[in-house]
Amino acid sequence: MTVQSQFAGVWCPSITPMDNDGNVDLSGLKHHLKRLTDAKIDVILLMGSIGEFASLSLEERLMLIREARAMSSLKMVANVSSTCMSDVLQMAQEADNAGYDAVMVLPPYYYGQTTKQLLSYFRKLGGALRGKWFAYNFPARTGCDLTPDLVATLAAEFPNFAGIKDTVDCQSHTRSMIQATRAVRDDFAVLSGYDEYYIPNLMAGGAGIISGLNNVMPELFVDAREAFKQGDLHTLREIQDKIGTYMSIYAIGEDFVTTIKTVVSRKFGYCTGVSRNAGGELNESDCRTIDEVFLTKG
């Protein structure tokens, strides 16, 4: 980036705390967002994949949009993805009314989408949204890829298209996204969706990271942000090594969302480890592992 995006830096895709019955826990969310705010990250993403948007009703999502905005002074972005366009626009309107800085939208999922269909969808969306918006590229979940050329085309057409979360386990894909969009916009934010690609993303000229580990250890990524600004390669190398170790959070248990929530619960105590993903509860062996990695060492 030759011009720093206002959305550059360290993002946390916040968990959505729930009580033991699986109901949304606003008190737990308030505690969680306060901790993220105190850690001095840059942006909170509400109801991303780790926030379990796909398991929440439209009514719950609208309620969370209304209630969460006042819980932090940081920039906040609401994920309003849905397979129903009218729901997307209703949630986006609610987010705009509540004072969110932007919204984020996945491409249509379940039905396979061609490049022509993706362009049509996002052009319709770009014409309807009032404020700034991000695309969310997660081919492993949507079955389609927002290619660098497609994203650059949209970035050139829509000034309010502020950036993209590129959740592709291939740094060259994100690097190509950075290069393609930089050719048409110098303020477009390309954010990696994989924790361990934060530093490589910065090295390639990207805007930052949307990292699930920030629910547990946001200070580590804030330290990386500051070390990069100072050109401190020794510290960056040490942090990259730590991130590599902590990536084990995604391989413990059956369901990484429940695992992340369980780590937060056991480490900080203000919420349960309950998620709406069936069968994700950790066994005793898994709990011993996370205690060793994230409580004793982390």
Side-chain angles (χ1 to χ4, degrees), residues 76-95:
M76 289 186 70
V77 176
N79 174 31
V80 298
S81 302
S82 172
T83 54
C84 179
M85 175 68 84
S86 63
D87 289 352
V88 172
L89 296 178
Q90 183 179 356
M91 287 185 282
Q93 179 67 57
E94 195 73 44

Side-chain angles (χ1 to χ4, degrees), residues 119-166:
L119 279 170
S120 176
Y121 178 80
F122 280 105
R123 281 170 171 155
K124 182 177 181 180
L125 196 67
L129 294 174
R130 297 197 313 185
K132 294 188 180 299
W133 55 279
F134 284 78
Y136 183 2
N137 191 35
F138 200 170
R141 294 290 186 267
T142 64
C144 59
D145 182 30
L146 300 180
T147 65
D149 286 345
L150 184 154
V151 173
T153 296
L154 292 168
E157 292 181 15
F158 295 99
N160 277 341
F161 182 21
I164 186 167
K165 178 183 182 183
D166 196 35

Side-chain angles (χ1 to χ4, degrees), residues 14-78:
S14 175
I15 59 170
T16 301
M18 295 173 182
D19 64 22
N20 287 317
D21 295 319
N23 301 307
V24 173
D25 175 13
L26 290 176
S27 176
L29 182 63
K30 185 175 182 178
H31 279 91
H32 191 60
L33 298 193
K34 181 181 186 304
R35 188 170 63 81
L36 297 177
T37 304
D38 291 345
K40 295 182 171 55
I41 65 168
D42 298 287
V43 183
I44 292 171
L45 174 63
L46 186 72
M47 299 184 300
S49 297
I50 289 173
E52 300 178 78
F53 79 93
S55 302
L56 299 168
S57 69
L58 177 60
E59 291 74 20
E60 287 174 316
R61 296 180 72 183
L62 290 168
M63 179 273 292
L64 278 165
I65 289 170
R66 288 191 295 269
E67 297 293 333
R69 175 61 273 198
M71 296 180 184
S72 176
S73 58
L74 296 176
K75 285 186 173 66
M76 289 186 70
V77 176

Side-chain angles (χ1 to χ4, degrees), residues 8-292:
V10 175
W11 291 41
C12 180
S14 175
I15 59 170
T16 301
M18 295 173 182
D19 64 22
N20 287 317
D21 295 319
N23 301 307
V24 173
D25 175 13
L26 290 176
S27 176
L29 182 63
K30 185 175 182 178
H31 279 91
H32 191 60
L33 298 193
K34 181 181 186 304
R35 188 170 63 81
L36 297 177
T37 304
D38 291 345
K40 295 182 171 55
I41 65 168
D42 298 287
V43 183
I44 292 171
L45 174 63
L46 186 72
M47 299 184 300
S49 297
I50 289 173
E52 300 178 78
F53 79 93
S55 302
L56 299 168
S57 69
L58 177 60
E59 291 74 20
E60 287 174 316
R61 296 180 72 183
L62 290 168
M63 179 273 292
L64 278 165
I65 289 170
R66 288 191 295 269
E67 297 293 333
R69 175 61 273 198
M71 296 180 184
S72 176
S73 58
L74 296 176
K75 285 186 173 66
M76 289 186 70
V77 176
N79 174 31
V80 298
S81 302
S82 172
T83 54
C84 179
M85 175 68 84
S86 63
D87 289 352
V88 172
L89 296 178
Q90 183 179 356
M91 287 185 282
Q93 179 67 57
E94 195 73 44
D96 187 67
N97 291 343
Y100 284 74
D101 297 276
V103 297
M104 181 174 286
V105 189
L106 281 161
Y109 46 94
Y110 184 76
Y111 296 107
Q113 299 290 300
T114 65
T115 298
K116 179 181 178 181
Q117 288 176 301
L118 291 169
L119 279 170
S120 176
Y121 178 80
F122 280 105
R123 281 170 171 155
K124 182 177 181 180
L125 196 67
L129 294 174
R130 297 197 313 185
K132 294 188 180 299
W133 55 279
F134 284 78
Y136 183 2
N137 191 35
F138 200 170
R141 294 290 186 267
T142 64
C144 59
D145 182 30
L146 300 180
T147 65
D149 286 345
L150 184 154
V151 173
T153 296
L154 292 168
E157 292 181 15
F158 295 99
N160 277 341
F161 182 21
I164 186 167
K165 178 183 182 183
D166 196 35
T167 307
V168 179
D169 193 7
C170 176
Q171 176 60 21
S172 65
H173 187 284
T174 306
R175 184 258 306 153
S176 296
M177 189 79 71
I178 293 165
Q179 292 174 331
T181 55
R182 188 165 52 197
V184 297
R185 290 262 300 280
D186 58 7
D187 63 341
F188 190 84
V190 177
L191 300 144
S192 176
Y194 277 90
D195 315 56
E196 61 191 314
Y197 292 156
Y198 176 37
I199 295 170
N201 176 278
L202 295 178
M203 295 287 190
I209 188 71
I210 303 180
S211 160
L213 279 171
N214 278 315
N215 285 285
V216 179
M217 49 191 59
E219 297 83 2
L220 183 65
F221 289 83
V222 169
D223 287 347
R225 181 191 68 198
E226 297 308 304
F228 184 79
K229 289 179 181 178
Q230 296 162 15
D232 186 349
L233 296 180
H234 176 74
T235 298
L236 287 172
R237 181 177 178 180
E238 289 183 340
I239 292 173
Q240 185 70 23
D241 186 58
K242 290 179 181 178
I243 293 171
T245 297
Y246 296 135
M247 287 296 290
S248 64
I249 201 168
Y250 295 103
I252 298 170
E254 304 295 326
D255 159 43
F256 68 85
V257 174
T258 306
T259 302
I260 291 171
K261 295 178 87 169
T262 301
V263 174
V264 172
S265 177
R266 293 172 79 88
K267 191 174 180 70
F268 302 105
Y270 51 70
C271 65
T272 73
V274 173
S275 82
R276 291 187 179 173
N277 293 334
E281 299 85 357
L282 273 64
N283 59 36
E284 290 184 10
S285 176
D286 291 333
C287 287
R288 286 195 297 271
T289 299
I290 63 173
D291 287 350
E292 171 68 19

